[in-house]
Amino acid sequence: MVDNSIPRHWPKTSYDPKYDPIIDAGPGHNRDHAPTYWIGTAGTPPADDGPVSGDMEADVVIVGSGYTGLSTAIHLAKEHGIQAVVLEANTVAWGCSTRNGGQAQISSGRLKRSQWIKRWGVDVAKGMHREVSEAFDLFNDLIASDDIDCDPQTGGHYYIAHREKVMAGLQKESDLLNGTFGYGSRVISKEELQSEHVNDQDAYGAMWEPDGTCIHAAKLAFGYVNMARRLGVKIHTASPVMGWETKNGIHHVRTPGGIVKTKTVALATAGYTPPGLNSKTKHRLMPILSNSMVTRPLTQSELDECGIKTMSPLTDTRTLRHYYRLLPDNRVQIGSRSAVTGRDAENDKHLQLLRANLARKFPALEDINLDYSWWGWVDVSHDMMPRIFQPDPKQRVFYAMGYGGNGVMYSAQAGRRMAQLVAGKKDEAFNLPIFTSPLPSHGLLTPFRRMGQRMAYIWYYLKDEVI
């Protein structure tokens, strides 16, 4: 039964800049989007199906209406003939999917190919490379569809050395990509990078990868919404999961507007996963805040001085990396680490640090006015790789999350893979470790994670800038 003491349809509430997924019980109820460049320039959001308005049954319930949840719904419908109901606590694509940097790279977590080999061996690493290559093809197919107009800018990915000593490692990684994986990366000298690609004054060269596309983050999400609803998917916004019981194999998912009964639940909540959502996801991710900002449009003289001749994804080699790009309207977007806690997210020192690092790369932009500034939670797994997994074979509960900031592209494939799991249609790729093991836990160290994060940030700074 629905608890009549809780309003069934809450009015839209304002964005909460201090929301913290480790502390708060949930992401809210019908909150507005963060004030991002993407939301500010995407136009009117597409129609959805409104809040749940009574008890119902569903073949599959997907929790979360971001890239992963929508891709899961799309592929359940397209490839398996299964109609899903998507539950979103707030407004559609409220979390990571409208707060990221809009960079699609050929990766699925935070580890490089050499680290894959060290962890799993060459054969598994090659399998992982095939997986992300297939994922990029899927992503390209999706964004080429009539439903999606996300302003793609292709041209590869530039992995930019922020110190001279990093160049040797980039050359080694490029040689590995070319020789072991047959992937055509190349190393670019400082002189070529600054004269032909981007005049980044913080750069000492780069490794270029052929696959890299910049997109408009909200237009991509809204395109997924249009595609999903065209396929018959129901997307219920303002419908947070307030409770969840399982009786005789049937999940009773309680929302303010009604209980949704289903045999199958797929979780796609990423960095916004509530601690009490499900025992199998509790504390299995480390949500990390990332700051992002967008300048006013650059003048022609500023464009000339910055020398940004590509609209491809740019990232530097810092552990606390910067991701940046020239937008189609000649603004510059840049993002990097932010506060440790949600309560400290509005502290101006984090924005000033990001401004200083933009000026370090492009001195002409030192005092430039900003049109947008925001932050969002990144879903970092404890071993830096995502999982698409069914944690308990006895219960039809699945999850896909843990991209570590590399989910713009791979979330499409993760959703497709989760749809395959739901439909019972595995292929040989499911022997890869991201499909065969759960998200790891910090166990007894869980209460001390943020203490460790603060210490790690000090070490990363020393490693990136001093040692």
Side-chain angles (χ1 to χ4, degrees), residues 187-199:
V187 171
I188 299 172
S189 69
K190 176 179 180 178
E191 292 73 25
E192 180 188 345
L193 180 71
Q194 292 181 337
S195 63
E196 301 296 329
H197 306 278
V198 53
N199 191 23

PDB file of all heavy atoms in Angstrom, residues 187-199:
ATOM      1  N   VAL A 187      52.850   9.352 -30.710  1.00  0.00           N
ATOM      2  CA  VAL A 187      53.340  10.369 -29.787  1.00  0.00           C
ATOM      3  C   VAL A 187      53.623  11.651 -30.563  1.00  0.00           C
ATOM      4  O   VAL A 187      54.218  11.620 -31.652  1.00  0.00           O
ATOM      5  CB  VAL A 187      54.596   9.877 -29.041  1.00  0.00           C
ATOM      6  CG1 VAL A 187      55.239  11.014 -28.243  1.00  0.00           C
ATOM      7  CG2 VAL A 187      54.234   8.719 -28.112  1.00  0.00           C
ATOM      8  N   ILE A 188      53.192  12.753 -29.996  1.00  0.00           N
ATOM      9  CA  ILE A 188      53.341  14.067 -30.616  1.00  0.00           C
ATOM     10  C   ILE A 188      54.310  14.890 -29.774  1.00  0.00           C
ATOM     11  O   ILE A 188      54.180  14.951 -28.548  1.00  0.00           O
ATOM     12  CB  ILE A 188      51.974  14.786 -30.696  1.00  0.00           C
ATOM     13  CG1 ILE A 188      51.003  13.976 -31.543  1.00  0.00           C
ATOM     14  CG2 ILE A 188      52.128  16.197 -31.239  1.00  0.00           C
ATOM     15  CD1 ILE A 188      49.577  14.512 -31.504  1.00  0.00           C
ATOM     16  N   SER A 189      55.278  15.509 -30.408  1.00  0.00           N
ATOM     17  CA  SER A 189      56.245  16.325 -29.686  1.00  0.00           C
ATOM     18  C   SER A 189      55.595  17.597 -29.152  1.00  0.00           C
ATOM     19  O   SER A 189      54.515  18.006 -29.603  1.00  0.00           O
ATOM     20  CB  SER A 189      57.404  16.706 -30.608  1.00  0.00           C
ATOM     21  OG  SER A 189      56.952  17.618 -31.616  1.00  0.00           O
ATOM     22  N   LYS A 190      56.280  18.229 -28.223  1.00  0.00           N
ATOM     23  CA  LYS A 190      55.798  19.501 -27.674  1.00  0.00           C
ATOM     24  C   LYS A 190      55.646  20.539 -28.779  1.00  0.00           C
ATOM     25  O   LYS A 190      54.631  21.261 -28.831  1.00  0.00           O
ATOM     26  CB  LYS A 190      56.773  20.004 -26.606  1.00  0.00           C
ATOM     27  CG  LYS A 190      56.424  21.361 -26.027  1.00  0.00           C
ATOM     28  CD  LYS A 190      57.423  21.788 -24.958  1.00  0.00           C
ATOM     29  CE  LYS A 190      57.077  23.154 -24.382  1.00  0.00           C
ATOM     30  NZ  LYS A 190      58.026  23.552 -23.306  1.00  0.00           N
ATOM     31  N   GLU A 191      56.613  20.588 -29.656  1.00  0.00           N
ATOM     32  CA  GLU A 191      56.608  21.599 -30.723  1.00  0.00           C
ATOM     33  C   GLU A 191      55.414  21.392 -31.658  1.00  0.00           C
ATOM     34  O   GLU A 191      54.701  22.342 -32.016  1.00  0.00           O
ATOM     35  CB  GLU A 191      57.914  21.549 -31.510  1.00  0.00           C
ATOM     36  CG  GLU A 191      59.143  21.994 -30.722  1.00  0.00           C
ATOM     37  CD  GLU A 191      59.585  20.975 -29.661  1.00  0.00           C
ATOM     38  OE1 GLU A 191      59.273  19.772 -29.828  1.00  0.00           O
ATOM     39  OE2 GLU A 191      60.223  21.404 -28.673  1.00  0.00           O
ATOM     40  N   GLU A 192      55.193  20.128 -32.064  1.00  0.00           N
ATOM     41  CA  GLU A 192      54.072  19.846 -32.957  1.00  0.00           C
ATOM     42  C   GLU A 192      52.741  20.091 -32.256  1.00  0.00           C
ATOM     43  O   GLU A 192      51.807  20.673 -32.835  1.00  0.00           O
ATOM     44  CB  GLU A 192      54.116  18.404 -33.459  1.00  0.00           C
ATOM     45  CG  GLU A 192      52.949  18.090 -34.403  1.00  0.00           C
ATOM     46  CD  GLU A 192      52.849  16.618 -34.770  1.00  0.00           C
ATOM     47  OE1 GLU A 192      53.814  15.867 -34.538  1.00  0.00           O
ATOM     48  OE2 GLU A 192      51.779  16.225 -35.279  1.00  0.00           O
ATOM     49  N   LEU A 193      52.632  19.657 -31.015  1.00  0.00           N
ATOM     50  CA  LEU A 193      51.387  19.830 -30.272  1.00  0.00           C
ATOM     51  C   LEU A 193      51.006  21.297 -30.199  1.00  0.00           C
ATOM     52  O   LEU A 193      49.863  21.675 -30.499  1.00  0.00           O
ATOM     53  CB  LEU A 193      51.527  19.246 -28.868  1.00  0.00           C
ATOM     54  CG  LEU A 193      50.286  19.372 -27.973  1.00  0.00           C
ATOM     55  CD1 LEU A 193      49.187  18.433 -28.450  1.00  0.00           C
ATOM     56  CD2 LEU A 193      50.641  19.100 -26.510  1.00  0.00           C
ATOM     57  N   GLN A 194      51.961  22.134 -29.797  1.00  0.00           N
ATOM     58  CA  GLN A 194      51.644  23.540 -29.563  1.00  0.00           C
ATOM     59  C   GLN A 194      51.452  24.319 -30.854  1.00  0.00           C
ATOM     60  O   GLN A 194      50.698  25.293 -30.877  1.00  0.00           O
ATOM     61  CB  GLN A 194      52.738  24.176 -28.701  1.00  0.00           C
ATOM     62  CG  GLN A 194      52.756  23.630 -27.274  1.00  0.00           C
ATOM     63  CD  GLN A 194      53.817  24.272 -26.407  1.00  0.00           C
ATOM     64  OE1 GLN A 194      54.814  24.801 -26.911  1.00  0.00           O
ATOM     65  NE2 GLN A 194      53.628  24.216 -25.099  1.00  0.00           N
ATOM     66  N   SER A 195      52.090  23.898 -31.934  1.00  0.00           N
ATOM     67  CA  SER A 195      51.955  24.647 -33.184  1.00  0.00           C
ATOM     68  C   SER A 195      50.806  24.144 -34.058  1.00  0.00           C
ATOM     69  O   SER A 195      50.172  24.938 -34.768  1.00  0.00           O
ATOM     70  CB  SER A 195      53.260  24.579 -33.990  1.00  0.00           C
ATOM     71  OG  SER A 195      53.549  23.241 -34.365  1.00  0.00           O
ATOM     72  N   GLU A 196      50.481  22.843 -33.962  1.00  0.00           N
ATOM     73  CA  GLU A 196      49.518  22.264 -34.889  1.00  0.00           C
ATOM     74  C   GLU A 196      48.191  21.867 -34.243  1.00  0.00           C
ATOM     75  O   GLU A 196      47.187  21.709 -34.947  1.00  0.00           O
ATOM     76  CB  GLU A 196      50.119  21.020 -35.573  1.00  0.00           C
ATOM     77  CG  GLU A 196      51.395  21.287 -36.345  1.00  0.00           C
ATOM     78  CD  GLU A 196      51.179  22.232 -37.514  1.00  0.00           C
ATOM     79  OE1 GLU A 196      50.064  22.222 -38.082  1.00  0.00           O
ATOM     80  OE2 GLU A 196      52.096  22.998 -37.838  1.00  0.00           O
ATOM     81  N   HIS A 197      48.155  21.698 -32.917  1.00  0.00           N
ATOM     82  CA  HIS A 197      46.964  21.133 -32.282  1.00  0.00           C
ATOM     83  C   HIS A 197      46.397  22.030 -31.183  1.00  0.00           C
ATOM     84  O   HIS A 197      45.261  22.472 -31.271  1.00  0.00           O
ATOM     85  CB  HIS A 197      47.277  19.740 -31.731  1.00  0.00           C
ATOM     86  CG  HIS A 197      47.842  18.813 -32.745  1.00  0.00           C
ATOM     87  ND1 HIS A 197      47.055  18.115 -33.639  1.00  0.00           N
ATOM     88  CD2 HIS A 197      49.133  18.458 -33.030  1.00  0.00           C
ATOM     89  CE1 HIS A 197      47.818  17.366 -34.434  1.00  0.00           C
ATOM     90  NE2 HIS A 197      49.091  17.566 -34.087  1.00  0.00           N
ATOM     91  N   VAL A 198      47.188  22.275 -30.144  1.00  0.00           N
ATOM     92  CA  VAL A 198      46.722  23.118 -29.046  1.00  0.00           C
ATOM     93  C   VAL A 198      47.942  23.738 -28.370  1.00  0.00           C
ATOM     94  O   VAL A 198      48.884  23.036 -27.997  1.00  0.00           O
ATOM     95  CB  VAL A 198      45.866  22.316 -28.035  1.00  0.00           C
ATOM     96  CG1 VAL A 198      46.578  21.065 -27.541  1.00  0.00           C
ATOM     97  CG2 VAL A 198      45.431  23.193 -26.875  1.00  0.00           C
ATOM     98  N   ASN A 199      47.917  25.054 -28.208  1.00  0.00           N
ATOM     99  CA  ASN A 199      49.064  25.771 -27.646  1.00  0.00           C
ATOM    100  C   ASN A 199      48.975  25.790 -26.115  1.00  0.00           C
ATOM    101  O   ASN A 199      48.967  26.848 -25.477  1.00  0.00           O
ATOM    102  CB  ASN A 199      49.119  27.188 -28.207  1.00  0.00           C
ATOM    103  CG  ASN A 199      50.418  27.889 -27.866  1.00  0.00           C
ATOM    104  OD1 ASN A 199      51.437  27.241 -27.589  1.00  0.00           O
ATOM    105  ND2 ASN A 199      50.395  29.211 -27.866  1.00  0.00           N
TER     106      ASN A 199
END
